[in-house]
Amino acid sequence: MDLHQRLRSRGYRLTPQRELVLEAVSSLGHATPEDALGWIRERSGGVNISTVYRTLELLEELGLVKHTHLSHGAPTYHAAAAPEHVHLVCRPCGKVIELEPRVVSPLVDTLQDDVGFAADVGHLTVFGQCAECSR
Amino acid sequence: MDLHQRLRSRGYRLTPQRELVLEAVSSLGHATPEDALGWIRERSGGVNISTVYRTLELLEELGLVKHTHLSHGAPTYHAAAAPEHVHLVCRPCGKVIELEPRVVSPLVDTLQDDVGFAADVGHLTVFGQCAECSR
DNA sequence: CTACTTGCAAACTCTTTGCACCATA
DNA sequence: TATGGTGCAAAGAGTTTGCAAGTAG
């Protein structure tokens, strides 16, 4: 865990709250700020929701977590340490499917070559309808 | 304009507010609810913001507008009559680039073939960094 | 006329911020 | 012990809803 080093090298401090938030996101895989808070409450005394927001922002700045938008509402965070993946969200049933970024590499290459756009694959979410819901 | 027919066939009524909201979205190309309201205020007396929300929801149900998320905050609506397109959003500068859906057809086909997922191209937004910001 | 719509205001959700107190280094 | 961090409460965006008054058909 290099959380401590990353924090210290920028003058930030290591606190139990910061460890907990990162652990929550890592364990949950996908977590909204509210999800992370719930996870933390189940095992320790709890952390204030505003601290969760501040910490997620900080962890993202440090490159330890990333976020996407899997629904209309809250953003969803996941650990940057997790293998990078693309999200498919089925609108009818709400299911979230993760895929290897390989499936979008043709698209990424096209965007780079045609318009010089560097796509952020880890942030990509494709909405649509899954196989079951299409029947 | 088949707004009137579409509304009537489902028992809804044609009102000046509904015409204005659809016209706002069509003219602006991309519009948040707040943007649409601003456009309407510039030419007529104005419409209440809650009517804008209700109307956008209705127009989407009727298939006349669609929405995407181009930023963290408000959703962005565009007329369904406009040619379908994919959005690229440059995070550093905020610029929005529109591309023909052709560029993502390889991806759409892959998703369909591999996992049976029917991607909604009109709703797709790719975040990343544009050519200028990459220099 | 009647049912659908609108405007208004209040309520709600999600997120941010100011500030006094607390804790890491 | 000196900052930086946290909790709390209040303030802000964005959005939804209940209800009385207005209006399209």
Side-chain angles (χ1 to χ4, degrees):
Chain A
M1 171 87 63
D2 55 349
L3 173 60
H4 193 177
Q5 301 156 39
R6 296 222 195 186
L7 286 167
R8 295 268 64 219
S9 68
R10 304 215 198 175
Y12 298 120
R13 295 178 180 174
L14 178 64
T15 66
Q17 289 90 337
R18 289 175 176 169
E19 292 184 300
L20 282 166
V21 171
L22 179 56
E23 202 187 337
V25 171
S26 303
S27 303
L28 289 170
H30 291 117
T32 62
E34 212 62 55
D35 293 338
L37 181 59
W39 188 95
I40 293 168
R41 280 198 178 133
E42 282 176 15
R43 32 227 100 203
S44 67
V47 167
N48 191 274
I49 184 68
S50 55
T51 299
V52 173
Y53 277 99
R54 285 189 280 232
T55 303
L56 287 170
E57 188 181 347
L58 176 62
L59 293 176
E60 185 150 35
E61 179 193 329
L62 296 178
L64 292 170
V65 303
K66 297 186 166 211
H67 80 273
T68 359
H69 295 276
L70 300 184
S71 63
H72 277 199
T76 304
Y77 289 83
H78 58 271
E84 191 159 67
H85 54 268
V86 168
H87 296 99
L88 305 185
V89 177
C90 175
R91 213 133 32 183
C93 73
K95 183 168 56 189
V96 177
I97 301 167
E98 294 182 12
L99 292 182
E100 304 166 38
R102 186 176 44 70
V103 300
V104 295
S105 48
L107 171 62
V108 172
D109 294 344
T110 304
L111 295 181
Q112 185 63 255
D113 297 346
D114 290 10
V115 288
F117 188 88
D120 175 4
V121 174
H123 193 284
L124 186 62
T125 299
V126 181
F127 291 85
Q129 198 163 42
C130 73
E132 283 92 75
C133 290
S134 295
R135 287 205 210 99
Chain B
M1 170 88 62
D2 56 349
L3 172 60
H4 193 175
Q5 301 156 40
R6 296 221 195 189
L7 287 167
R8 295 270 63 217
S9 69
R10 304 215 199 178
Y12 297 121
R13 295 179 181 175
L14 178 64
T15 65
Q17 288 89 338
R18 289 176 176 170
E19 292 185 300
L20 283 166
V21 171
L22 179 55
E23 202 186 336
V25 170
S26 303
S27 302
L28 290 170
H30 291 118
T32 61
E34 213 61 56
D35 293 337
L37 181 60
W39 187 95
I40 292 168
R41 279 197 178 132
E42 282 176 14
R43 33 226 100 202
S44 67
V47 168
N48 191 274
I49 185 68
S50 55
T51 299
V52 174
Y53 278 100
R54 285 189 280 232
T55 302
L56 287 170
E57 188 182 346
L58 176 62
L59 293 176
E60 187 151 35
E61 179 193 328
L62 296 177
L64 292 169
V65 303
K66 298 185 165 212
H67 81 273
T68 358
H69 295 275
L70 301 184
S71 63
H72 275 200
T76 304
Y77 289 83
H78 59 271
E84 193 160 65
H85 54 267
V86 168
H87 297 100
L88 305 185
V89 176
C90 176
R91 214 131 32 183
C93 73
K95 182 167 55 187
V96 176
I97 300 168
E98 294 182 13
L99 292 183
E100 303 167 38
R102 188 175 44 69
V103 298
V104 295
S105 47
L107 171 62
V108 171
D109 294 344
T110 303
L111 295 180
Q112 185 61 251
D113 297 346
D114 289 10
V115 287
F117 189 88
D120 175 3
V121 174
H123 194 283
L124 186 64
T125 299
V126 181
F127 291 84
Q129 197 164 44
C130 73
E132 283 93 76
C133 291
S134 295
R135 285 205 213 99

